[in-house]
Amino acid sequence: MLQLLSFAGTAISVAVAAAAAGIVVFTVIWHFVRKKQGKGGCDCGCSDCSACRLCRRTEERGPEQK
């Protein structure tokens, strides 16, 4: 009985770890796909590049467009 509970605990731990790894991989792939499509937002993670002065897109634009 104790071995069965140990095995079940290990199986649950492996399943949770696999789910967490899957979520991380999905998120990374989703980020790069959205960035490739031009929908990823700024490099700094803000949602409005015109108000944010931290990202590369703001620096690349000229002073008249900031």
Side-chain angles (χ1 to χ4, degrees):
M1 181 69 171
L2 190 57
Q3 288 178 342
L4 182 62
L5 289 175
S6 177
F7 176 75
T10 302
I12 291 172
S13 296
V14 168
V16 168
I23 290 171
V24 169
V25 169
F26 174 78
T27 303
V28 169
I29 291 172
W30 182 256
H31 169 75
F32 283 113
V33 167
R34 300 243 329 141
K35 191 166 191 147
K36 185 88 170 167
Q37 294 173 345
K39 300 176 185 175
C42 294
D43 294 333
C44 64
C46 69
S47 59
D48 184 11
C49 288
S50 62
C52 172
R53 303 281 184 214
L54 300 174
C55 63
R56 241 186 289 148
R57 287 185 185 173
T58 306
E59 294 170 3
E60 290 172 356
R61 290 185 277 174
E64 68 280 350
Q65 295 178 353
K66 285 187 181 179

